[in-house]
Amino acid sequence: MSAGATGVGSLPGGDAREAAKTVTGSFEEFPYLAELPARGPGADMIGRSLGLLVDMYAHVEPSGWRISDRPGRDSKRSRSWLGEDLDALEEFTQGYTGKLKVQAVGPWTLAAALELHGGEAMLQDPGACRDLAGSLAEGLREHLADVRKRIPGAQVVLQLDEPSLTAVLLGRVRSASGYRTYRAVDRQVVEGALRDLFAVHDGEVVVHSCAPEVPFALLRRAGATGVSFDFSLLTEREDDAIGEAVEGGTKLFAGVVPGTDAPLSDPGGSVMGVRKLWRRLGLAPGTLAESVVVTPSCGLAGASPAYARAVQAHCVRAARSLADNPE
């Protein structure tokens, strides 16, 4: 049984129905709720997730998203676009049974992106980070319940986008002035906040990061059932962590196809690196198809619409090639 293929999150364009139609047409066995950042602030990954927060609000400043005391135009717009996207997905998934993925930004990337009133990142204030994680957990609980109500046959997979996670752990997130970096956050604090957040969902939880040095072991300990990453950024240093993850049952969402317009190789060629990794780790080829989900390397917001459609179809074919010829 192959775990198949799915997308990462974003698509080009601004038409919710067109996006839902493309996603459900491409990934018949594992569609996802598309994000359309081209619509503007609030449709971007950060703004969309800030719209999910409970009793916490944000608005757009020239420098990015900043905390607000009350809901304003930007929060409302973010919620209204999410509603529009859910309506469109619901329309194209009538009677659907199977996996369905929804994405939100995780607490650490949000804390690195969201500014406090004074303009510094929330990341520098441990109490504010705790409040943010709690508010996000509450909002995700409501969001997941809404998705299940709309598409009752779906097994919902929650993906948390954490591209800044490695920078948070290593103290590489730059301050507002850009002259200094925030202190690294203690690994146990990071892991604990993620564990609490994963607990809001009783299904699969995947963490996505298209940054280098994804902390596989930390994510597994926190309870992630899958890790989504840009396969081209892996180095042999990660071999042990990946081998342990796979043997422990963690799914790998391998981003093997470029997220922006590029020539596409044959589908089998796209997953050649995954087969090589399996051989290098001494894992049984028969486990490949159930352990690996094929995806683009990152979101497709920067791609042309034609390429975005082609890539999604290509991922499905590449996953089939992996299932048919694991050797």
Side-chain angles (χ1 to χ4, degrees), residues 144-214:
L144 292 164
D146 183 24
V147 173
R148 280 192 290 263
K149 194 167 81 227
R150 288 165 175 267
I151 309 161
Q155 296 157 266
V156 181
V157 175
L158 171 62
Q159 172 182 308
L160 289 165
D161 294 315
E162 280 284 17
S164 304
L165 186 60
T166 302
V168 166
L169 289 165
L170 299 177
R172 291 180 185 161
V173 178
R174 295 214 160 274
S175 66
S177 65
Y179 291 127
R180 59 186 186 85
T181 51
Y182 297 111
R183 222 188 3 249
V185 180
D186 181 82
R187 295 185 88 83
Q188 275 166 323
V189 171
V190 169
E191 192 182 317
L194 290 174
R195 185 178 297 111
D196 291 348
L197 191 61
F198 297 170
V200 305
H201 183 46
D202 53 10
E204 292 182 47
V205 179
V206 177
V207 176
H208 168 72
S209 168
C210 43
E213 301 172 71
V214 175

Side-chain angles (χ1 to χ4, degrees), residues 5-308:
T6 189
V8 172
S10 65
L11 287 177
D15 182 333
R17 286 188 78 249
E18 184 55 38
K21 188 176 160 193
T22 299
V23 164
T24 51
S26 305
F27 299 115
E28 290 169 15
E29 293 176 12
F30 200 166
Y32 62 97
L33 177 64
E35 296 162 6
L36 303 172
R39 292 182 292 200
D44 60 301
M45 157 175 133
I46 298 290
R48 186 184 187 85
S49 298
L50 293 173
L52 292 172
L53 299 177
V54 172
D55 297 332
M56 199 179 254
Y57 313 101
H59 64 277
V60 179
E61 290 275 335
S63 54
W65 286 91
R66 185 169 293 184
I67 202 93
S68 313
D69 298 324
R70 64 187 67 83
R73 197 183 54 205
D74 297 326
S75 308
K76 289 187 182 127
R77 200 167 35 195
S78 162
R79 283 182 173 270
S80 118
W81 273 327
L82 178 59
E84 203 178 289
D85 294 336
L86 283 165
D87 289 345
L89 187 66
E90 186 178 354
E91 179 189 336
F92 286 97
T93 49
Q94 293 297 309
Y96 174 74
T97 55
K99 290 188 185 227
L100 168 74
K101 184 164 68 70
V102 296
Q103 306 83 223
V105 177
W108 296 107
T109 297
L110 269 190
L114 184 57
E115 296 174 357
L116 296 163
H117 292 296
E120 289 297 343
M122 196 172 255
L123 191 61
Q124 72 166 19
D125 180 337
C129 287
R130 274 195 300 276
D131 292 347
L132 178 66
S135 171
L136 180 62
E138 218 33 61
L140 278 173
R141 205 173 270 122
E142 289 174 13
H143 177 47
L144 292 164
D146 183 24
V147 173
R148 280 192 290 263
K149 194 167 81 227
R150 288 165 175 267
I151 309 161
Q155 296 157 266
V156 181
V157 175
L158 171 62
Q159 172 182 308
L160 289 165
D161 294 315
E162 280 284 17
S164 304
L165 186 60
T166 302
V168 166
L169 289 165
L170 299 177
R172 291 180 185 161
V173 178
R174 295 214 160 274
S175 66
S177 65
Y179 291 127
R180 59 186 186 85
T181 51
Y182 297 111
R183 222 188 3 249
V185 180
D186 181 82
R187 295 185 88 83
Q188 275 166 323
V189 171
V190 169
E191 192 182 317
L194 290 174
R195 185 178 297 111
D196 291 348
L197 191 61
F198 297 170
V200 305
H201 183 46
D202 53 10
E204 292 182 47
V205 179
V206 177
V207 176
H208 168 72
S209 168
C210 43
E213 301 172 71
V214 175
F216 286 93
L218 181 147
L219 294 173
R220 269 185 63 220
R221 284 197 306 273
T225 58
V227 181
S228 165
F229 56 96
D230 178 342
F231 194 82
S232 70
L233 297 177
L234 280 188
T235 66
E236 296 197 9
R237 279 204 305 274
E238 276 114 338
D239 277 7
D240 289 350
I242 288 183
E244 279 166 28
V246 171
E247 285 174 342
T250 306
K251 281 213 169 87
L252 302 183
F253 284 64
V256 294
V257 192
T260 47
D261 294 39
L264 293 172
S265 72
D266 68 296
S270 294
V271 284
M272 190 71 81
V274 180
R275 293 191 184 98
K276 278 191 184 134
L277 172 70
W278 239 243
R279 280 202 292 275
R280 209 164 69 219
L281 297 176
L283 296 165
T287 62
L288 250 178
E290 64 239 30
S291 300
V292 176
V293 179
V294 177
T295 72
S297 59
C298 212
L300 298 171
S304 66
Y307 180 79

